[in-house]
Amino acid sequence: MHRRLFTGALAVLALAATAATAGAPDATAESPTPARTRLNATIDTVLADSRLDGAQAGVVVVDTATGETLYDRNGDRRLVPASNAKLLTSTAALELLGPGHRFTTDVATDGVRRAGLLSGDLYLRGGGDPTMLAADYDALAAQVAADGVRVVTGNLVADDTRYDDTRLGPDWTWDDESYYYAAQVSALTVAPDTDYDAGTVIVNAAPAAAAGAPPVVTMTPPNGWLRIENRAETVAGGETTISFEREHGGNTIVVTGQIAVGQQPESDWMTVWEPTGYAADIFRAALRRHGVRVLGRTVLGQPTPAEAKPVARHDSMTLAELMVPFLKLSNNGHAEVLTKELGRILSGSGSWSAGLTAIGEYVGDNGVDTGNLRQRDGSGLSRRNLIPPTEFVALLAAVRAEPWFDTWYAALPVAGNADRFVGGTLRSRMRGTPAANNVHAKTGSLTGASSLSGYVTDADGHLLAFSVVLNNYLTSSVKSLEDQIAIALASYTEKGTTTARLTVPTAPEAPRVPEGLECSWVKPVRC
């Protein structure tokens, strides 16, 4: 139905556009206008850059009003999309879950209550909320205390059964596992900050007062789930070389290197092994602060009985609000939670496979040929994802008809806008060019794979959908080439260009970040 409606709408828009531009030069694939010829030559020149020697490049540009393709180079070639895969995940989530969807975390009991004594277990049930902070668990504990519970004779049960127990995405590389952009996914988790980096802890190392002593290492939030092995040293002077690494398969964070007396503290975001236990630890500590004692142990992964009675509840922000940190900062964890939530809501299975099926069905109803792509996770961290640029553009054109489009469009990163929650991963790119505060697009970065797909309004006021996907290059970054194409599109005009020559634009250099990472994935944020 979506595809039929979209096709019909395009036909009407095309007729209207034809009538409105009567007398303008006609352009066809066989006979393009001079302006179109120059635009194609400009993009061809950008793609001829030596940084792409031996690489793969796919670029598609479509006028969303007419459906006319303005440029197509290898548009049907399957390429690794990196975080551009989030375009599929986010649109499916908004349509199938709804902009008003919220995640619920609650506390329930199944025992007998006598005054302040609960003879039974206390259940902390996760609803997948990736925005749960330590303060939110503290508020839940306060509700339990306000309900009159003082002593729990049974266990604290951490119920994460809304989703399956597969914590890491398909095909994720082992050496990413301790870094926050590859956090484990659980229905019960903790975020240490208001970027909502769920399943991570911030490790801080400050120099000691005197050389020779180990740095002072702390965690945010404080917890007993992880332990610190401090092998670092405070020195009198010199370069700071503090490094943090979580040992695979456990929750020991090893701190090495040196930091000079008087230097600013160093921080990094580390993933947690088993976020369910992390959340339970934070909640149990909050209960103690509010005068609630749990006499039993902490049990992970058991379901809450159907007859359990609720005593506390926390609802997340709406999905529409979550889209901002999700897309602006390219948060992988949000993408994977939404994938599992889609599976849970639509088929009763909180798994990657069920969620990806739901995403595929939605985008397939919206102009995307799902037989021509492979999606293995929600975030794009898997290198087995393969999506042609033409399928991104088909989706970008189709979703303009959705009632939630304006919300989603605003949540995409905006080129050159310095506000972190407006510009997002594009905040330092294309500044001072016609693309600044114009391009709304999703970035994508893995080593040897880069992408930029979204929208740009050209100089004639036409909204263009575009996708640039670059693979298999050996240089550290090709972001400036993506930016050159976006700037050329923002400058494109069919008016008064009979003799004008459209030159290849220059693009300000994007911020330098470790190879293969989005700038927002580098904490503290460098973009």
Side-chain angles (χ1 to χ4, degrees), residues 85-430:
K86 294 182 176 77
L87 295 172
L88 281 66
T89 304
S90 59
T91 54
L94 279 169
E95 176 64 18
L96 301 175
L97 300 177
H101 181 80
R102 297 178 189 266
F103 299 90
T104 296
T105 306
D106 61 10
V107 182
T109 66
D110 67 346
V112 177
R113 296 275 297 273
R114 293 186 181 86
L117 181 70
L118 168 64
S119 298
D121 295 329
L122 189 67
Y123 294 87
L124 173 64
R125 178 165 48 193
D129 186 355
T131 70
M132 283 293 290
L133 306 172
D136 297 321
Y137 286 105
D138 189 81
L140 283 174
Q143 291 181 54
V144 173
D147 196 59
V149 177
R150 291 294 175 265
V151 177
V152 178
T153 64
N155 298 321
L156 172 61
V157 179
D159 176 1
D160 60 6
T161 58
R162 182 172 183 81
Y163 304 152
D164 65 13
D165 60 2
T166 302
R167 296 293 186 238
L168 296 172
D171 323 311
W172 292 3
T173 59
W174 69 268
D175 51 343
D176 283 335
E177 191 269 326
S178 72
Y179 298 106
Y180 96 100
Y181 54 85
Q184 294 188 16
V185 180
S186 171
L188 192 57
T189 190
V190 184
D193 56 17
T194 52
D195 286 356
Y196 306 111
D197 298 313
T200 71
V201 64
I202 305 172
V203 187
N204 313 286
V216 178
V217 181
T218 58
M219 290 185 283
T220 304
N223 67 90
W225 187 244
L226 297 100
R227 64 177 291 270
I228 300 294
E229 185 174 319
N230 189 352
R231 303 176 188 170
E233 182 182 11
T234 303
V235 296
E239 182 182 1
T240 295
T241 60
I242 289 288
S243 177
F244 307 93
E245 185 84 20
R246 180 175 57 77
E247 293 182 340
H248 179 75
N251 279 312
T252 297
I253 295 177
V254 180
V255 185
T256 56
Q258 66 180 35
I259 187 169
V261 173
Q263 291 294 309
Q264 291 296 310
E266 291 286 311
S267 299
D268 205 351
W269 278 242
M270 292 277 99
T271 61
V272 172
W273 188 272
E274 190 45 74
T276 301
Y278 178 34
D281 178 85
I282 294 292
F283 182 59
R284 189 164 190 140
L287 289 170
R288 284 196 298 271
R289 286 194 300 273
H290 288 279
V292 180
R293 287 194 301 151
V294 180
L295 302 182
R297 60 194 179 92
T298 299
V299 178
L300 308 184
Q302 289 188 4
T304 303
E307 65 275 11
K309 297 178 181 178
V311 294
R313 174 178 172 136
H314 172 82
D315 290 327
S316 74
M317 65 179 69
T318 65
L319 179 56
E321 294 169 308
L322 180 64
M323 282 290 146
V324 173
F326 169 30
L327 293 176
K328 297 292 187 186
L329 305 183
S330 198
N331 192 300
N332 290 342
H334 297 176
E336 306 308 350
V337 162
L338 289 173
T339 301
K340 290 199 173 189
E341 183 72 1
L342 283 165
R344 174 71 185 205
I345 292 293
L346 296 176
S347 68
S349 173
S351 65
W352 264 291
S353 60
L356 292 171
T357 296
I359 293 170
E361 289 175 353
Y362 169 72
V363 300
D365 284 340
N366 281 272
V368 174
D369 181 0
T370 56
N372 196 33
L373 62 84
R374 178 172 65 209
Q375 186 178 7
R376 293 280 295 172
D377 61 13
S379 66
L381 196 55
S382 170
R383 289 184 171 276
R384 292 183 66 194
N385 290 315
L386 291 172
I387 303 177
T390 191
E391 306 305 342
F392 282 125
V393 169
L395 180 66
L396 290 165
V399 298
R400 291 188 64 232
E402 299 288 12
W404 40 260
F405 174 76
D406 289 346
T407 295
W408 183 73
Y409 178 78
L412 291 170
V414 179
N417 191 304
D419 187 323
R420 186 160 169 268
F421 282 99
V422 178
T425 53
L426 285 176
R427 67 193 294 254
S428 299
R429 294 171 60 178
M430 296 175 257

Side-chain angles (χ1 to χ4, degrees), residues 427-520:
R427 67 193 294 254
S428 299
R429 294 171 60 178
M430 296 175 257
R431 288 180 177 177
T433 75
N437 287 304
N438 177 346
V439 168
H440 288 232
K442 185 70 200 71
T443 55
S445 305
L446 292 170
T447 301
S450 186
S451 53
L452 185 68
S453 299
Y455 305 93
V456 56
T457 301
D458 71 14
D460 295 335
H462 296 180
L463 186 67
L464 311 180
F466 71 92
S467 178
V468 182
V469 185
L470 309 174
N471 281 189
N472 301 334
Y473 52 86
L474 299 179
T475 188
S476 61
S477 176
V478 291
K479 297 297 184 189
S480 64
L481 303 182
E482 298 166 358
D483 294 352
Q484 285 178 296
I485 293 172
I487 295 166
L489 295 176
S491 307
Y492 175 65
T493 177
E494 284 283 353
K495 298 175 181 176
T497 61
T498 304
T499 59
R501 180 175 179 270
L502 187 60
T503 58
V504 178
T506 57
E509 281 298 320
R512 294 194 176 277
V513 297
E515 187 176 359
L517 301 184
E518 297 277 13
C519 60
S520 66

